[in-house]
Amino acid sequence: MKKIIITLICSCFALSIYAQQTKPAKKITVTKLERKISRKIQLVDVRTAKEFKEDQIGNAINIDVNSPDFEAKLQQLQKNKRVYVYCRSGKRSAIALKKMDSLGFNKVYNLQVGIEGWNKQKKR
């Protein structure tokens, strides 16, 4: 009986450590981001420079998630303040969010619908 209890306790402990390491992604909707745009926020477009030149949201800065200096450029942001991230459809921004989390950013929000979803909603 003692072995079962010890096994259960160890399992619960291991699960709690795993849960802390894999935080759920923080999401933001188009409507909520739109309200925040009027303020001075850290808004990052993680698409390529070409895509960024074609269209962007507000005063976003461009830091391409696939560029070799992505992590170095992230260091210019304030880690203790909220950062809002977007791409075309939400996939690259999800990758960026994971990288940012590993670098100590803990207030990162992903516009999961990306700029495509932003533009669709703005046309309505």
Side-chain angles (χ1 to χ4, degrees):
M1 185 67 170
K2 281 184 179 181
K3 287 182 180 179
I4 293 173
I5 292 173
I6 291 172
T7 303
L8 286 172
I9 290 171
C10 289
S11 297
C12 289
F13 181 70
L15 285 172
S16 69
I17 290 173
Y18 177 76
Q20 289 173 359
Q21 292 175 346
T22 57
K23 295 185 272 186
K26 297 173 191 165
K27 306 168 195 169
I28 189 162
T29 64
V30 170
T31 305
K32 287 182 182 177
L33 182 59
E34 189 174 27
R35 284 188 221 133
K36 295 182 182 297
I37 291 283
S38 61
R39 302 181 201 141
K40 188 174 179 171
I41 62 170
Q42 296 185 106
L43 180 60
V44 180
D45 183 324
V46 296
R47 300 175 299 151
T48 65
K50 182 182 177 200
E51 290 173 297
F52 183 74
K53 285 179 185 176
E54 292 170 1
D55 192 16
Q56 66 217 310
I57 299 173
N59 291 324
I61 61 169
N62 182 224
I63 306 176
D64 183 348
V65 71
N66 294 316
S67 70
D69 60 349
F70 178 71
E71 290 183 14
K73 287 184 177 180
L74 286 178
Q75 299 302 333
Q76 297 171 4
L77 300 174
Q78 295 178 336
K79 288 183 180 182
N80 61 338
K81 292 191 176 183
R82 290 183 177 153
V83 182
Y84 302 92
V85 181
Y86 72 92
C87 63
R88 183 179 56 82
S89 64
K91 291 178 184 173
R92 286 178 280 180
S93 56
I95 293 167
L97 191 119
K98 286 181 184 178
K99 286 184 181 181
M100 294 172 81
D101 187 49
S102 72
L103 293 172
F105 288 86
N106 57 10
K107 298 177 185 175
V108 183
Y109 296 84
N110 182 10
L111 180 64
Q112 285 193 308
V113 296
I115 197 165
E116 286 181 341
W118 172 273
N119 288 335
K120 278 182 185 176
Q121 192 159 336
K122 298 296 282 177
K123 288 180 182 178
R124 292 182 190 171

